[in-house]
Amino acid sequence: MTSSEYYRRQADTLLTLALTATDPELSARYRTLAAEYEMLAANVGEDSVPCGSVTGNPSSAADASEAD
C-alpha cells in the first residue's frame, strides 16, 4: 500500500530532475509526472491505494475511477 508521503517524495524527485534536465521536452514530461504524483498524494488521504505504475498512463486510472 502506498502512502501520500511516497507520492510527494516521488514528485519532489521528478521536479529536481526537471530542473536539471537539458532537454526541454524531458523537463516538461518530468513536471507533468510530478503534478500527477501530487494529485495521487492528495487523493490518498487516510485510505491507501494499490501501488501502481504512474509511468504507464496515470490519467487513465483517474478516468476509470470517475466512471464508477
Side-chain angles (χ1 to χ4, degrees):
M1 303 230 184
T2 307
S3 70
S4 61
E5 182 59 32
Y6 167 79
Y7 289 127
R8 286 190 181 91
R9 283 194 315 266
Q10 295 301 334
D12 288 342
T13 300
L14 287 163
L15 288 174
T16 300
L17 289 171
L19 291 172
T20 61
T22 57
D23 180 358
E25 289 180 24
L26 185 58
S27 179
R29 179 65 178 144
Y30 285 146
R31 289 178 192 275
T32 299
L33 287 170
E36 290 173 357
Y37 272 110
E38 285 292 341
M39 285 191 309
L40 287 170
N43 290 331
V44 170
E46 291 297 315
D47 298 328
S48 296
V49 295
C51 184
S53 173
V54 172
T55 58
N57 188 357
S59 59
S60 65
D63 294 340
S65 67
E66 291 174 3
D68 290 337

